[in-house]
């Protein structure tokens, strides 16, 4: 088994506590513990990392159909790395 150098699969870091400078942010669930159930699936030389990103946490804030009006909060993403 061998490991390759680190490879970035996103275009920017997320900041779970950023809400354009507003704290506490109504679009963040501070009790959620982002990352607790994330990980990596790998098989046959293909890897699928899984991560949470909150950069768009205020998008759709105020829309009662989205997070009870809080907005997107966190989104979950994956990528395919070979």
């Amino acid at each position: 088994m061998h490991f390759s150098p680190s490879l970035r699969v996103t275009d920017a870091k997320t900041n779970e506590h950023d809400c354009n400078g507003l704290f506490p942010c109504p679009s963040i669930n501070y009790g959620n513990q982002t990352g607790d159930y994330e990980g990596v699936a790998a098989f046959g030389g293909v890897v699928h990392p899984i991560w949470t990103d909150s950069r768009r946490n205020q998008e759709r804030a105020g829309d009662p159909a989205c997070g009870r009006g809080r907005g997107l909060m966190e989104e979950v993403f994956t990528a395919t790395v070979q």
Side-chain angles (χ1 to χ4, degrees):
M1 178 166 53
H2 71 278
F3 294 92
S4 298
S6 297
L7 174 69
R8 176 175 241 163
V9 295
T10 65
D11 60 357
K13 293 188 272 185
T14 187
N15 182 346
E16 180 62 19
H17 298 286
D18 184 25
C19 200
N20 294 329
L22 176 64
F23 182 84
C25 176
S27 297
I28 294 174
N29 180 353
Y30 291 99
N32 194 12
Q33 305 304 312
T34 296
D36 281 359
Y37 301 101
E38 296 176 2
V40 172
F43 182 77
V46 179
V47 179
H48 299 277
I50 302 161
W51 69 93
T52 302
D53 192 315
S54 64
R55 284 180 281 158
R56 295 174 44 199
N57 63 18
Q58 288 188 301
E59 194 168 304
R60 293 184 61 197
D63 178 350
C66 186
R68 297 186 187 128
R70 293 181 297 208
L72 290 177
M73 297 171 63
E74 298 100 1
E75 297 176 278
V76 177
F77 294 91
T78 187
T80 301
V81 180
Q82 293 183 315

